Amino acid sequence: MTTFALNNLWNYLQGLSLSQSDREWLAKKLIMPKESSTELTAEERKARFLRLAGSWADTEEGEEYYQMMKHRNDDRPANRVTNLDD
């Protein structure tokens, strides 16, 4: 989040009329450590994709589409230089 968004969120939270127990709940949520890693293995990612593919999951086209989506960013540069003076 940007600083502007965080300031807006803080102003919103200050405007709420929260009970003490609500404030404690919110504080615990805000300082709660991030849960375990959400990084998926390659097999889990493929299984999730194919589950969403529906009837395509069992076809050759489904596998081709998965491979296409998996490699869609390989040829793209990570950072593009843009001249803002033009």
Side-chain angles (χ1 to χ4, degrees):
M1 286 183 117
T2 65
T3 303
F4 181 74
L6 288 172
N7 282 332
N8 284 340
L9 176 61
W10 180 245
N11 289 335
Y12 171 75
L13 291 173
Q14 287 179 324
L16 296 175
S17 58
L18 299 174
S19 67
Q20 185 61 30
S21 62
D22 291 339
R23 288 175 185 260
E24 290 173 6
W25 177 87
L26 180 59
K28 287 178 185 174
K29 290 293 182 182
L30 291 173
I31 61 172
M32 184 183 301
K34 191 173 183 177
E35 293 182 18
S36 62
S37 175
T38 58
E39 198 65 31
L40 299 173
T41 65
E43 295 86 23
E44 292 170 332
R45 192 175 304 114
K46 184 175 182 177
R48 185 176 288 184
F49 176 84
L50 291 175
R51 187 175 63 240
L52 294 173
S55 61
W56 279 18
D58 299 329
T59 65
E60 191 174 306
E61 290 85 7
E63 179 64 27
E64 289 175 13
Y65 188 65
Y66 171 74
Q67 292 300 326
M68 181 192 70
M69 293 301 289
K70 181 178 174 183
H71 298 290
R72 71 184 179 272
N73 292 327
D74 290 352
D75 295 332
R76 293 181 183 173
N79 295 314
R80 294 175 190 238
V81 176
T82 305
N83 187 356
L84 298 177
D85 295 331
D86 291 339

